[in-house]
Amino acid sequence: MKMYYEKDVDSEVLVGKTIAVIGYGSQGRGQSRNMADSGLNVVVGLREGGSSWKIAKSEGMNVKTIEEATKIADVIHILIPDEIQADTYNKSIAPNLEEGNTISFSHGYNIHFKYIKVPKNVNITMIAPKGPGSMVRRTYKEGFGIPGLVAVEQDATGNALQIALAMGKATGLAKAGILETSFKEETETDLFGEQAVLCGGVTELIKAGFDTLVEAGYQKEIAYFETCHELKLIVDLIYEKGFAGMWNDVSNTAEFGGFVRRERIINEESKKEMKKVLEEIQKGKFTKEWALENTANQPMLNRYRAIEAEENIEIVGKKLRKACGLEKSE
């Protein structure tokens, strides 16, 4: 394991350079503002006149069209959604590239799966915060930062790693530590984590637990508190103290029950399916599905969103969050 901290980073490598951040969503907003506040020359590349354009302008950022930003940039940091990166790159970025430029990402999807092809005389790097853009910004303002990842896919200039690390430091990641990885490792583990655990796995587990209690006749509100609301408290403990610290903080009854029942829920069959999910990612099956979905204007995704919004746990949860002051009324 190779970790980099502020003392390991040569910030001089970006002196006199212009960084174009393409996109002003969660990550684009957080990363660009941090880099600008750290003294880097940052421009934000956006669709002219859009909502993000107005927000970035109002927050004091130097905003230009994607084409204009790319033409004057030494480093182009692409932070728009995965599914539109290739088209935007081909139309608005690639024609303006110059030898010695750096194309940078916070997720390796389009490089690893070869949707974006970069000339040999251009660096390909990654600096990826391990947290949402809002947290990247908040922790930076508090004087610290969140951990991050760094990777180099193509080193055309001989100092691509130093460039990426300097961006990471300016974003605030080097205070917590930047772990070296590869585009392949970051992409495949990120997709697996999202699908099997963080987004797909955990929501299905919560819904199954909620439905089990409700179908057994318990109040929906109690079921929500027990299977969804309290999950944050447990995850916070694991985040701060690890598994052992979490077990230490819950009751002995919870600890014993968790130990003796957990493998009946997440069992060998679950693990076999996890391996299948990972293989589908590794072999490109998932990325082909996602590409086809986008070609057809995301019909399955929109359908899943509609179904999820009507789930019993969503309806109950929305009411409870408002009642408890956790969610503001629209």
Side-chain angles (χ1 to χ4, degrees):
M1 180 181 76
K2 178 61 177 176
M3 290 284 287
Y4 297 92
Y5 299 93
E6 288 194 320
K7 62 182 177 59
D8 305 311
V9 180
D10 177 15
S11 299
E12 296 298 311
V13 73
L14 290 179
V15 172
K17 305 292 186 182
T18 298
I19 295 88
V21 175
I22 310 302
Y24 206 68
S26 176
Q27 286 295 339
R29 190 178 186 185
Q31 292 190 45
S32 64
R33 295 179 76 188
N34 287 6
M35 285 191 281
D37 285 352
S38 293
L40 298 187
N41 182 25
V42 177
V43 297
V44 178
L46 298 171
R47 178 175 57 85
E48 188 169 9
S51 58
S52 293
W53 180 286
K54 297 173 184 177
I55 293 171
K57 280 274 192 182
S58 71
E59 293 178 342
M61 301 304 295
N62 181 6
V63 184
K64 297 181 180 297
T65 66
I66 296 174
E67 292 82 0
E68 291 170 339
T70 303
K71 286 179 182 178
I72 64 172
D74 300 285
V75 179
I76 300 99
H77 192 35
I78 303 176
L79 296 179
I80 51 179
D82 292 330
E83 62 270 23
I84 64 172
Q85 283 188 12
D87 186 59
T88 300
Y89 172 82
N90 290 329
K91 291 180 179 178
S92 303
I93 297 174
N96 302 310
L97 286 180
E98 296 180 355
E99 181 176 354
N101 282 168
T102 296
I103 294 289
S104 174
F105 301 85
S106 283
H107 181 38
Y109 188 94
N110 279 280
I111 291 296
H112 178 58
F113 291 115
K114 303 187 187 309
Y115 288 108
I116 289 179
K117 297 179 180 179
V118 179
K120 294 294 184 183
N121 61 0
V122 172
N123 295 330
I124 306 174
T125 64
M126 180 197 308
I127 190 69
K130 295 309 293 177
S134 58
M135 186 66 70
V136 171
R137 181 60 178 166
R138 192 185 85 187
T139 54
Y140 176 91
K141 291 172 70 177
E142 292 171 348
F144 195 60
I146 63 173
L149 303 178
V150 66
V152 175
E153 182 77 3
Q154 185 167 286
D155 188 358
T157 62
N159 64 348
L161 178 61
Q162 288 74 20
I163 291 171
L165 287 172
M167 292 174 64
K169 179 180 178 180
T171 305
L173 310 183
K175 287 183 181 292
I178 302 174
L179 175 64
E180 190 166 8
T181 185
S182 66
F183 271 66
K184 171 182 167 60
E185 183 175 57
E186 185 278 334
T187 302
E188 293 177 356
T189 57
D190 188 74
L191 291 175
F192 175 80
E194 292 167 350
Q195 295 171 23
V197 181
L198 305 175
C199 302
V202 74
T203 52
E204 194 64 20
L205 179 64
I206 292 169
K207 286 195 294 183
F210 174 86
D211 290 342
T212 299
L213 289 176
V214 172
E215 289 166 7
Y218 298 102
Q219 293 183 64
K220 296 175 183 177
E221 293 79 9
I222 297 296
Y224 179 83
F225 277 133
E226 290 299 330
T227 61
C228 187
H229 175 81
E230 290 192 37
L231 181 64
K232 180 186 184 305
L233 309 179
I234 298 301
V235 170
D236 283 348
L237 287 173
I238 295 172
Y239 177 85
E240 294 168 5
K241 303 179 180 182
F243 286 173
M246 180 274 291
W247 291 125
N248 184 63
D249 277 14
V250 299
S251 70
N252 293 336
T253 307
E255 184 180 16
F256 178 75
F259 278 139
V260 299
R261 295 292 190 269
R262 63 184 182 180
E263 290 187 8
R264 290 172 58 180
I265 307 303
I266 306 300
N267 52 33
E268 286 303 314
E269 288 302 311
S270 304
K271 293 176 184 177
K272 287 180 183 178
E273 285 302 316
M274 285 186 177
K275 290 179 180 179
K276 289 181 182 179
V277 168
L278 180 57
E279 288 175 1
E280 290 172 358
I281 291 168
Q282 293 169 328
K283 294 179 180 179
K285 184 177 185 296
F286 169 74
T287 190
K288 290 178 182 177
E289 291 178 16
W290 183 222
L292 182 62
E293 176 73 3
N294 284 293
T295 299
N297 294 320
Q298 302 181 344
M300 290 180 64
L301 180 59
N302 289 326
R303 178 59 178 156
Y304 280 127
R305 286 171 175 167
I307 293 172
E308 193 86 338
E310 297 302 318
E311 287 281 353
N312 206 1
I313 190 171
E314 277 291 270
I315 296 170
V316 172
K318 192 173 184 65
K319 292 179 180 177
L320 275 178
R321 291 191 299 273
K322 287 181 179 178
C324 295
L326 299 174
E327 181 177 307
K328 295 180 180 179
S329 300
E330 295 178 354

